Amino acid sequence: MTLLFTDAAQVVTCAGPARARRGAEMADLGLRVGAAVAVDGERIVAVGPQRELEQTYRDATRVDCRGAILTPGLVDSHTHAVFGRARYEEQEQRAAGADYLAIAAAGGGIHASVRDLRARSEDELFALAERRLRRLAAFGTTTVEVKSGYGLSLDDELKMLRVAARLAESLAMRLIPTWLGAHEIPLDFRGRPDGRRAYIALLIDEMLPCIASERLARFADVFCEPGVFTVDESREVLTASRGAGLGIKLHADELAPAGGAELAAALGAISADHLAAVSAAGIAALAQSSTVATLLPGTMLFLGKPSQAPARALIEAGVPVALATDFNPGTSPTVNFPLILTLGVSQLRMSVAEAVVAATVNGAAALGIADRVGQLAPGYSADLALFSGEDVREVPYWYGERLCRATWVRGKACHQFDLPVG
Ligand code: NIG
Ligand code: FE
């Protein structure tokens, strides 16, 4: 079936090279007025002046985009969307002075989510995650990366990744699974003198071969942070993961500058994520690499931290920057990706164009799919989002509101709200 998207106030194409954008490239939105987008089956076949496309695609079904802005579907390249119960009690504990890592050291934080998840069935987790992913899609997200990391045992990590695989089958969204077995050292191992080494052996010798042979994850990730995994331990897990055929990512320099960015750059990781505390040396290392810096400003906001990742310094050093929600029950329980764009502009001092490129093309690059996702251009997957408004700058401006009217993934309706029929 051919679809013709017409009469949008603006079409944000992000058209350009099929790779992460750096420096001044991030300022180019490929904005078009008076343009239409033609979709045939799963792919975009043309973006051009509406009059011309109306001639060429006379029989197409029209999608009326009046009063709205058409963009590439948002690419959320960092989430922990499979989890059990919410952790609202920790928000108040932090307000009263408790620190994120101190809560974890007392058996809360990630450990609390692990206890909860281990007690739940695959079906229960599937039902919870499905609802949450639909809410993510309702805000304009069409591609979502989903990490494991609340299982921390062979069976429970496999359970999480099987839930992700079933979600990828059943939802219209594009879902990319990441294995984060190295999210924490589980409490049962922390209590043993040889626990750290034993858990790393479990990760590398037992979990990784299973996950690689069942193809349950495209990437491996590690939470590299003082008190969690050291740089050396992270290197060991990621090197083994790469050897098993997985792409590699890293939670790096989230709370303290510990050399995570330098490690991600040295290993050629596809992304280094968080970076709120990255050092000058870390920025320089990333600038010399092909690694995307994925910034998660919702996390710093929610944790009540006074500082944010140095987005301007990263962009000016030539590091490609992506934005993502980090949707998770501990540090960023939001499904609202446009709100992350608001933080990108108002707190990270990015331009709107930089924030939108960070949430589309560069998000896709952080997932290794920039050759088919993240742009409205011929040959690209027909993943689109429609936001109410006249100007793309309204998307971060009306903060907290849901402007998204509809999304399509591979040419099929994903989420549709008040879309005029025509
Ligand atoms: O990205 N930093 C580590 N992992 C998550 C938080 C997970 C949790 O607290 O449940 C993050 O912020
Ligand atoms: Fe995370």
Side-chain angles (χ1 to χ4, degrees):
M1 181 165 86
T2 312
L3 295 175
L4 190 62
F5 292 81
T6 61
D7 298 295
Q10 294 181 335
V11 176
V12 172
T13 67
C14 297
R19 56 163 173 75
R21 309 285 166 77
R22 299 168 180 265
E25 291 175 342
M26 285 188 68
D28 182 9
L29 271 185
L31 192 74
R32 302 188 65 155
V33 174
V37 177
V39 166
D40 188 13
E42 295 193 359
R43 307 222 158 264
I44 294 167
V45 285
V47 180
Q50 184 162 324
R51 290 231 188 92
E52 283 175 24
L53 266 59
E54 282 172 338
Q55 294 298 319
T56 316
Y57 300 97
R58 281 174 205 272
D59 299 330
T61 304
R62 289 171 76 116
V63 181
D64 184 345
C65 303
R66 241 170 294 179
I69 304 133
L70 193 60
T71 73
L74 303 181
V75 180
D76 194 349
S77 63
H78 183 137
T79 85
H80 308 249
V82 176
F83 59 87
R85 75 168 183 84
R87 303 213 312 264
Y88 33 77
E89 67 281 1
E90 292 175 10
Q91 187 183 18
E92 272 186 332
Q93 289 168 9
R94 281 190 300 276
D99 169 68
Y100 175 70
L101 288 176
I103 292 172
I110 293 170
H111 299 301
S113 288
V114 170
R115 270 193 304 279
D116 175 81
L117 183 131
R118 287 180 176 177
R120 289 181 195 265
S121 70
E122 196 179 303
D123 285 347
E124 226 178 314
L125 289 169
F126 175 87
L128 284 169
E130 188 185 36
R131 272 214 311 274
R132 289 165 179 157
L133 288 173
R134 285 189 196 280
R135 285 166 51 217
L136 241 108
F139 280 88
T141 296
T142 53
T143 295
V144 61
E145 185 251 20
V146 174
K147 300 178 196 293
S148 69
Y150 294 127
L152 310 189
S153 71
L154 175 62
D155 287 349
D156 293 299
E157 285 296 295
L158 290 175
K159 179 169 75 178
M160 285 190 81
L161 290 169
R162 288 191 182 119
V163 167
R166 279 175 60 194
L167 290 163
E169 282 290 306
S170 77
L171 289 171
M173 296 174 89
R174 188 185 299 276
L175 196 146
I176 300 195
T178 292
W179 171 54
L180 179 57
H183 198 189
E184 242 304 353
I185 312 264
L187 289 176
D188 33 334
F189 283 80
R190 273 198 186 266
R192 291 165 39 183
D194 65 335
R196 296 189 76 84
R197 288 310 311 162
Y199 188 62
I200 290 165
L202 172 68
L203 287 171
I204 294 176
D205 302 335
E206 293 184 45
M207 285 192 213
L208 176 59
C210 267
I211 281 146
S213 73
E214 290 191 38
R215 296 183 180 278
L216 281 170
R218 208 174 297 177
F219 298 102
D221 192 348
V222 176
F223 187 11
C224 177
E225 191 74 30
V228 195
F229 288 91
T230 66
V231 167
D232 286 342
E233 290 165 345
S234 304
R235 185 187 298 108
E236 201 179 337
V237 174
L238 291 180
T239 305
S241 301
R242 193 172 50 190
L246 300 183
I248 57 177
K249 292 178 161 284
L250 192 62
H251 278 68
D253 304 327
E254 174 177 350
L255 305 165
E262 292 89 326
L263 175 66
L267 291 176
I270 197 155
S271 70
D273 300 39
H274 283 287
L275 302 173
V278 67
S279 66
I283 296 175
L286 289 171
Q288 298 300 310
S289 78
S290 59
T291 302
V292 174
T294 300
L295 309 184
L296 309 164
T299 303
M300 290 296 117
L301 174 88
F302 191 72
L303 290 178
K305 298 279 180 192
S307 64
Q308 284 283 4
R312 285 260 56 90
L314 287 159
I315 293 171
E316 273 143 34
V319 179
V321 167
L323 287 169
T325 62
D326 195 17
F327 175 53
N328 77 75
T331 66
S332 188
T334 185
V335 292
N336 185 338
F337 200 167
L339 178 60
I340 303 304
L341 270 64
T342 303
L343 299 179
V345 178
S346 292
Q347 300 214 317
L348 273 60
R349 304 191 173 280
M350 297 167 78
S351 68
V352 172
E354 288 168 342
V356 171
V357 167
T360 54
V361 179
N362 284 4
L367 295 174
I369 53 173
D371 58 340
R372 50 194 184 279
V373 168
Q375 305 187 27
L376 300 186
Y380 273 74
S381 180
D383 297 6
L384 305 97
L386 191 64
F387 294 96
S388 290
E390 296 292 326
D391 190 299
V392 65
R393 287 172 290 190
E394 293 182 63
V395 174
Y397 174 79
W398 298 110
Y399 80 99
E401 198 171 325
R402 183 182 60 72
L403 296 181
C404 181
R405 283 191 197 174
T407 59
W408 293 259
V409 177
R410 301 181 180 98
K412 291 212 177 62
C414 181
H415 267 260
Q416 310 254 307
F417 295 95
D418 31 324
L419 187 69
V421 184

mmCIF file with all atom_site columns, all heavy atoms in Angstrom, residues 61 67 89 91 96 113 134 138 215 217 246 270 297 303 307 317 360 362 381 394:
data_model
loop_
_atom_site.group_PDB
_atom_site.id
_atom_site.type_symbol
_atom_site.label_atom_id
_atom_site.label_alt_id
_atom_site.label_comp_id
_atom_site.label_asym_id
_atom_site.label_entity_id
_atom_site.label_seq_id
_atom_site.pdbx_PDB_ins_code
_atom_site.Cartn_x
_atom_site.Cartn_y
_atom_site.Cartn_z
_atom_site.occupancy
_atom_site.B_iso_or_equiv
_atom_site.pdbx_formal_charge
_atom_site.auth_seq_id
_atom_site.auth_comp_id
_atom_site.auth_asym_id
_atom_site.auth_atom_id
_atom_site.pdbx_PDB_model_num
ATOM 1   N N   . THR A 1 61  ? -3.096 6.408   -0.526 1.00 0.00 ? 61  THR A N   1
ATOM 2   C CA  . THR A 1 61  ? -3.969 6.794   0.598  1.00 0.00 ? 61  THR A CA  1
ATOM 3   C C   . THR A 1 61  ? -3.325 7.998   1.268  1.00 0.00 ? 61  THR A C   1
ATOM 4   O O   . THR A 1 61  ? -2.143 7.959   1.634  1.00 0.00 ? 61  THR A O   1
ATOM 5   C CB  . THR A 1 61  ? -4.060 5.638   1.609  1.00 0.00 ? 61  THR A CB  1
ATOM 6   O OG1 . THR A 1 61  ? -4.524 4.491   0.908  1.00 0.00 ? 61  THR A OG1 1
ATOM 7   C CG2 . THR A 1 61  ? -4.988 5.970   2.756  1.00 0.00 ? 61  THR A CG2 1
ATOM 8   N N   . GLY A 1 67  ? -1.724 21.098  10.564 1.00 0.00 ? 67  GLY A N   1
ATOM 9   C CA  . GLY A 1 67  ? -1.566 21.521  11.970 1.00 0.00 ? 67  GLY A CA  1
ATOM 10  C C   . GLY A 1 67  ? -0.560 20.680  12.738 1.00 0.00 ? 67  GLY A C   1
ATOM 11  O O   . GLY A 1 67  ? -0.588 20.628  13.966 1.00 0.00 ? 67  GLY A O   1
ATOM 12  N N   . GLU A 1 89  ? 9.540  4.960   46.560 1.00 0.00 ? 89  GLU A N   1
ATOM 13  C CA  . GLU A 1 89  ? 10.019 5.279   47.912 1.00 0.00 ? 89  GLU A CA  1
ATOM 14  C C   . GLU A 1 89  ? 11.421 5.896   47.886 1.00 0.00 ? 89  GLU A C   1
ATOM 15  O O   . GLU A 1 89  ? 11.770 6.720   48.730 1.00 0.00 ? 89  GLU A O   1
ATOM 16  C CB  . GLU A 1 89  ? 9.990  4.030   48.811 1.00 0.00 ? 89  GLU A CB  1
ATOM 17  C CG  . GLU A 1 89  ? 10.955 2.909   48.453 1.00 0.00 ? 89  GLU A CG  1
ATOM 18  C CD  . GLU A 1 89  ? 10.493 2.033   47.280 1.00 0.00 ? 89  GLU A CD  1
ATOM 19  O OE1 . GLU A 1 89  ? 9.424  2.304   46.708 1.00 0.00 ? 89  GLU A OE1 1
ATOM 20  O OE2 . GLU A 1 89  ? 11.238 1.098   46.935 1.00 0.00 ? 89  GLU A OE2 1
ATOM 21  N N   . GLN A 1 91  ? 12.641 8.026   45.789 1.00 0.00 ? 91  GLN A N   1
ATOM 22  C CA  . GLN A 1 91  ? 12.644 9.450   45.442 1.00 0.00 ? 91  GLN A CA  1
ATOM 23  C C   . GLN A 1 91  ? 12.612 10.292  46.717 1.00 0.00 ? 91  GLN A C   1
ATOM 24  O O   . GLN A 1 91  ? 13.383 11.244  46.877 1.00 0.00 ? 91  GLN A O   1
ATOM 25  C CB  . GLN A 1 91  ? 11.440 9.761   44.537 1.00 0.00 ? 91  GLN A CB  1
ATOM 26  C CG  . GLN A 1 91  ? 11.471 11.186  43.992 1.00 0.00 ? 91  GLN A CG  1
ATOM 27  C CD  . GLN A 1 91  ? 10.246 11.528  43.155 1.00 0.00 ? 91  GLN A CD  1
ATOM 28  O OE1 . GLN A 1 91  ? 9.214  10.854  43.228 1.00 0.00 ? 91  GLN A OE1 1
ATOM 29  N NE2 . GLN A 1 91  ? 10.367 12.563  42.352 1.00 0.00 ? 91  GLN A NE2 1
ATOM 30  N N   . ALA A 1 96  ? 15.313 13.354  51.195 1.00 0.00 ? 96  ALA A N   1
ATOM 31  C CA  . ALA A 1 96  ? 15.673 13.496  52.610 1.00 0.00 ? 96  ALA A CA  1
ATOM 32  C C   . ALA A 1 96  ? 17.175 13.365  52.834 1.00 0.00 ? 96  ALA A C   1
ATOM 33  O O   . ALA A 1 96  ? 17.635 13.338  53.974 1.00 0.00 ? 96  ALA A O   1
ATOM 34  C CB  . ALA A 1 96  ? 14.922 12.454  53.425 1.00 0.00 ? 96  ALA A CB  1
ATOM 35  N N   . SER A 1 113 ? 15.080 -3.953  42.627 1.00 0.00 ? 113 SER A N   1
ATOM 36  C CA  . SER A 1 113 ? 14.445 -4.371  41.366 1.00 0.00 ? 113 SER A CA  1
ATOM 37  C C   . SER A 1 113 ? 14.789 -5.818  41.037 1.00 0.00 ? 113 SER A C   1
ATOM 38  O O   . SER A 1 113 ? 13.985 -6.535  40.436 1.00 0.00 ? 113 SER A O   1
ATOM 39  C CB  . SER A 1 113 ? 14.873 -3.452  40.217 1.00 0.00 ? 113 SER A CB  1
ATOM 40  O OG  . SER A 1 113 ? 14.246 -2.191  40.368 1.00 0.00 ? 113 SER A OG  1
ATOM 41  N N   . ARG A 1 134 ? 4.037  0.739   25.219 1.00 0.00 ? 134 ARG A N   1
ATOM 42  C CA  . ARG A 1 134 ? 2.974  1.454   24.486 1.00 0.00 ? 134 ARG A CA  1
ATOM 43  C C   . ARG A 1 134 ? 2.913  2.915   24.905 1.00 0.00 ? 134 ARG A C   1
ATOM 44  O O   . ARG A 1 134 ? 2.651  3.800   24.104 1.00 0.00 ? 134 ARG A O   1
ATOM 45  C CB  . ARG A 1 134 ? 1.617  0.793   24.719 1.00 0.00 ? 134 ARG A CB  1
ATOM 46  C CG  . ARG A 1 134 ? 1.441  -0.504  23.957 1.00 0.00 ? 134 ARG A CG  1
ATOM 47  C CD  . ARG A 1 134 ? -0.004 -0.989  24.068 1.00 0.00 ? 134 ARG A CD  1
ATOM 48  N NE  . ARG A 1 134 ? -0.130 -2.365  23.679 1.00 0.00 ? 134 ARG A NE  1
ATOM 49  C CZ  . ARG A 1 134 ? -0.192 -2.788  22.412 1.00 0.00 ? 134 ARG A CZ  1
ATOM 50  N NH1 . ARG A 1 134 ? -0.123 -1.919  21.424 1.00 0.00 ? 134 ARG A NH1 1
ATOM 51  N NH2 . ARG A 1 134 ? -0.298 -4.071  22.142 1.00 0.00 ? 134 ARG A NH2 1
ATOM 52  N N   . ALA A 1 138 ? 3.515  6.274   22.649 1.00 0.00 ? 138 ALA A N   1
ATOM 53  C CA  . ALA A 1 138 ? 2.508  7.335   22.596 1.00 0.00 ? 138 ALA A CA  1
ATOM 54  C C   . ALA A 1 138 ? 3.144  8.727   22.585 1.00 0.00 ? 138 ALA A C   1
ATOM 55  O O   . ALA A 1 138 ? 2.515  9.697   22.203 1.00 0.00 ? 138 ALA A O   1
ATOM 56  C CB  . ALA A 1 138 ? 1.561  7.214   23.785 1.00 0.00 ? 138 ALA A CB  1
ATOM 57  N N   . ARG A 1 215 ? 21.038 -15.774 20.353 1.00 0.00 ? 215 ARG A N   1
ATOM 58  C CA  . ARG A 1 215 ? 20.875 -14.455 19.723 1.00 0.00 ? 215 ARG A CA  1
ATOM 59  C C   . ARG A 1 215 ? 19.836 -13.601 20.446 1.00 0.00 ? 215 ARG A C   1
ATOM 60  O O   . ARG A 1 215 ? 18.956 -12.984 19.830 1.00 0.00 ? 215 ARG A O   1
ATOM 61  C CB  . ARG A 1 215 ? 20.472 -14.597 18.243 1.00 0.00 ? 215 ARG A CB  1
ATOM 62  C CG  . ARG A 1 215 ? 21.538 -15.268 17.411 1.00 0.00 ? 215 ARG A CG  1
ATOM 63  C CD  . ARG A 1 215 ? 21.155 -15.325 15.949 1.00 0.00 ? 215 ARG A CD  1
ATOM 64  N NE  . ARG A 1 215 ? 22.194 -15.966 15.172 1.00 0.00 ? 215 ARG A NE  1
ATOM 65  C CZ  . ARG A 1 215 ? 23.295 -15.375 14.724 1.00 0.00 ? 215 ARG A CZ  1
ATOM 66  N NH1 . ARG A 1 215 ? 23.497 -14.090 14.977 1.00 0.00 ? 215 ARG A NH1 1
ATOM 67  N NH2 . ARG A 1 215 ? 24.186 -16.045 14.032 1.00 0.00 ? 215 ARG A NH2 1
ATOM 68  N N   . ALA A 1 217 ? 20.514 -10.947 22.344 1.00 0.00 ? 217 ALA A N   1
ATOM 69  C CA  . ALA A 1 217 ? 20.893 -9.536  22.492 1.00 0.00 ? 217 ALA A CA  1
ATOM 70  C C   . ALA A 1 217 ? 21.773 -9.117  21.330 1.00 0.00 ? 217 ALA A C   1
ATOM 71  O O   . ALA A 1 217 ? 22.551 -9.913  20.817 1.00 0.00 ? 217 ALA A O   1
ATOM 72  C CB  . ALA A 1 217 ? 21.642 -9.326  23.800 1.00 0.00 ? 217 ALA A CB  1
ATOM 73  N N   . LEU A 1 246 ? 28.826 -9.754  19.981 1.00 0.00 ? 246 LEU A N   1
ATOM 74  C CA  . LEU A 1 246 ? 27.913 -8.674  20.362 1.00 0.00 ? 246 LEU A CA  1
ATOM 75  C C   . LEU A 1 246 ? 28.573 -7.316  20.136 1.00 0.00 ? 246 LEU A C   1
ATOM 76  O O   . LEU A 1 246 ? 29.786 -7.179  20.272 1.00 0.00 ? 246 LEU A O   1
ATOM 77  C CB  . LEU A 1 246 ? 27.522 -8.795  21.843 1.00 0.00 ? 246 LEU A CB  1
ATOM 78  C CG  . LEU A 1 246 ? 26.808 -10.068 22.275 1.00 0.00 ? 246 LEU A CG  1
ATOM 79  C CD1 . LEU A 1 246 ? 26.438 -9.991  23.755 1.00 0.00 ? 246 LEU A CD1 1
ATOM 80  C CD2 . LEU A 1 246 ? 25.556 -10.289 21.457 1.00 0.00 ? 246 LEU A CD2 1
ATOM 81  N N   . ILE A 1 270 ? 30.082 1.211   20.565 1.00 0.00 ? 270 ILE A N   1
ATOM 82  C CA  . ILE A 1 270 ? 29.172 1.968   19.702 1.00 0.00 ? 270 ILE A CA  1
ATOM 83  C C   . ILE A 1 270 ? 28.641 3.202   20.433 1.00 0.00 ? 270 ILE A C   1
ATOM 84  O O   . ILE A 1 270 ? 28.388 4.232   19.816 1.00 0.00 ? 270 ILE A O   1
ATOM 85  C CB  . ILE A 1 270 ? 28.044 1.062   19.154 1.00 0.00 ? 270 ILE A CB  1
ATOM 86  C CG1 . ILE A 1 270 ? 27.364 1.710   17.954 1.00 0.00 ? 270 ILE A CG1 1
ATOM 87  C CG2 . ILE A 1 270 ? 27.035 0.684   20.225 1.00 0.00 ? 270 ILE A CG2 1
ATOM 88  C CD1 . ILE A 1 270 ? 26.716 0.755   17.007 1.00 0.00 ? 270 ILE A CD1 1
ATOM 89  N N   . PRO A 1 297 ? 19.648 13.244  30.281 1.00 0.00 ? 297 PRO A N   1
ATOM 90  C CA  . PRO A 1 297 ? 19.434 14.318  31.261 1.00 0.00 ? 297 PRO A CA  1
ATOM 91  C C   . PRO A 1 297 ? 18.270 14.075  32.208 1.00 0.00 ? 297 PRO A C   1
ATOM 92  O O   . PRO A 1 297 ? 18.233 14.671  33.294 1.00 0.00 ? 297 PRO A O   1
ATOM 93  C CB  . PRO A 1 297 ? 19.180 15.563  30.387 1.00 0.00 ? 297 PRO A CB  1
ATOM 94  C CG  . PRO A 1 297 ? 18.773 15.039  29.050 1.00 0.00 ? 297 PRO A CG  1
ATOM 95  C CD  . PRO A 1 297 ? 19.475 13.725  28.893 1.00 0.00 ? 297 PRO A CD  1
ATOM 96  N N   . LEU A 1 303 ? 17.372 12.432  39.806 1.00 0.00 ? 303 LEU A N   1
ATOM 97  C CA  . LEU A 1 303 ? 18.203 12.168  40.986 1.00 0.00 ? 303 LEU A CA  1
ATOM 98  C C   . LEU A 1 303 ? 18.465 13.447  41.789 1.00 0.00 ? 303 LEU A C   1
ATOM 99  O O   . LEU A 1 303 ? 19.059 13.395  42.863 1.00 0.00 ? 303 LEU A O   1
ATOM 100 C CB  . LEU A 1 303 ? 19.538 11.535  40.576 1.00 0.00 ? 303 LEU A CB  1
ATOM 101 C CG  . LEU A 1 303 ? 19.479 10.087  40.051 1.00 0.00 ? 303 LEU A CG  1
ATOM 102 C CD1 . LEU A 1 303 ? 20.872 9.602   39.640 1.00 0.00 ? 303 LEU A CD1 1
ATOM 103 C CD2 . LEU A 1 303 ? 18.884 9.135   41.086 1.00 0.00 ? 303 LEU A CD2 1
ATOM 104 N N   . SER A 1 307 ? 24.242 19.045  38.420 1.00 0.00 ? 307 SER A N   1
ATOM 105 C CA  . SER A 1 307 ? 24.935 19.261  37.143 1.00 0.00 ? 307 SER A CA  1
ATOM 106 C C   . SER A 1 307 ? 24.422 18.291  36.089 1.00 0.00 ? 307 SER A C   1
ATOM 107 O O   . SER A 1 307 ? 23.776 17.290  36.405 1.00 0.00 ? 307 SER A O   1
ATOM 108 C CB  . SER A 1 307 ? 26.435 19.080  37.321 1.00 0.00 ? 307 SER A CB  1
ATOM 109 O OG  . SER A 1 307 ? 26.680 17.742  37.691 1.00 0.00 ? 307 SER A OG  1
ATOM 110 N N   . ALA A 1 317 ? 33.778 19.555  20.709 1.00 0.00 ? 317 ALA A N   1
ATOM 111 C CA  . ALA A 1 317 ? 34.971 18.718  20.485 1.00 0.00 ? 317 ALA A CA  1
ATOM 112 C C   . ALA A 1 317 ? 34.761 17.770  19.288 1.00 0.00 ? 317 ALA A C   1
ATOM 113 O O   . ALA A 1 317 ? 35.687 17.057  18.898 1.00 0.00 ? 317 ALA A O   1
ATOM 114 C CB  . ALA A 1 317 ? 35.268 17.906  21.734 1.00 0.00 ? 317 ALA A CB  1
ATOM 115 N N   . THR A 1 360 ? 17.197 11.210  16.908 1.00 0.00 ? 360 THR A N   1
ATOM 116 C CA  . THR A 1 360 ? 16.798 10.466  15.697 1.00 0.00 ? 360 THR A CA  1
ATOM 117 C C   . THR A 1 360 ? 18.043 9.810   15.079 1.00 0.00 ? 360 THR A C   1
ATOM 118 O O   . THR A 1 360 ? 18.373 8.678   15.412 1.00 0.00 ? 360 THR A O   1
ATOM 119 C CB  . THR A 1 360 ? 16.093 11.409  14.696 1.00 0.00 ? 360 THR A CB  1
ATOM 120 O OG1 . THR A 1 360 ? 16.944 12.546  14.437 1.00 0.00 ? 360 THR A OG1 1
ATOM 121 C CG2 . THR A 1 360 ? 14.753 11.886  15.233 1.00 0.00 ? 360 THR A CG2 1
ATOM 122 N N   . ASN A 1 362 ? 21.298 10.284  15.492 1.00 0.00 ? 362 ASN A N   1
ATOM 123 C CA  . ASN A 1 362 ? 22.390 9.857   16.369 1.00 0.00 ? 362 ASN A CA  1
ATOM 124 C C   . ASN A 1 362 ? 21.950 8.745   17.317 1.00 0.00 ? 362 ASN A C   1
ATOM 125 O O   . ASN A 1 362 ? 22.766 7.903   17.707 1.00 0.00 ? 362 ASN A O   1
ATOM 126 C CB  . ASN A 1 362 ? 22.981 11.058  17.119 1.00 0.00 ? 362 ASN A CB  1
ATOM 127 C CG  . ASN A 1 362 ? 23.882 11.894  16.206 1.00 0.00 ? 362 ASN A CG  1
ATOM 128 O OD1 . ASN A 1 362 ? 24.004 11.614  15.005 1.00 0.00 ? 362 ASN A OD1 1
ATOM 129 N ND2 . ASN A 1 362 ? 24.505 12.921  16.753 1.00 0.00 ? 362 ASN A ND2 1
ATOM 130 N N   . SER A 1 381 ? 13.460 3.156   6.379  1.00 0.00 ? 381 SER A N   1
ATOM 131 C CA  . SER A 1 381 ? 12.259 2.540   6.934  1.00 0.00 ? 381 SER A CA  1
ATOM 132 C C   . SER A 1 381 ? 11.219 3.633   7.198  1.00 0.00 ? 381 SER A C   1
ATOM 133 O O   . SER A 1 381 ? 11.562 4.722   7.675  1.00 0.00 ? 381 SER A O   1
ATOM 134 C CB  . SER A 1 381 ? 12.598 1.820   8.235  1.00 0.00 ? 381 SER A CB  1
ATOM 135 O OG  . SER A 1 381 ? 11.426 1.225   8.751  1.00 0.00 ? 381 SER A OG  1
ATOM 136 N N   . GLU A 1 394 ? 8.241  23.819  18.887 1.00 0.00 ? 394 GLU A N   1
ATOM 137 C CA  . GLU A 1 394 ? 7.178  23.611  19.882 1.00 0.00 ? 394 GLU A CA  1
ATOM 138 C C   . GLU A 1 394 ? 7.337  22.274  20.610 1.00 0.00 ? 394 GLU A C   1
ATOM 139 O O   . GLU A 1 394 ? 6.807  22.102  21.712 1.00 0.00 ? 394 GLU A O   1
ATOM 140 C CB  . GLU A 1 394 ? 5.800  23.666  19.211 1.00 0.00 ? 394 GLU A CB  1
ATOM 141 C CG  . GLU A 1 394 ? 5.461  25.053  18.692 1.00 0.00 ? 394 GLU A CG  1
ATOM 142 C CD  . GLU A 1 394 ? 4.075  25.093  18.072 1.00 0.00 ? 394 GLU A CD  1
ATOM 143 O OE1 . GLU A 1 394 ? 3.096  24.857  18.786 1.00 0.00 ? 394 GLU A OE1 1
ATOM 144 O OE2 . GLU A 1 394 ? 3.988  25.350  16.846 1.00 0.00 ? 394 GLU A OE2 1
#
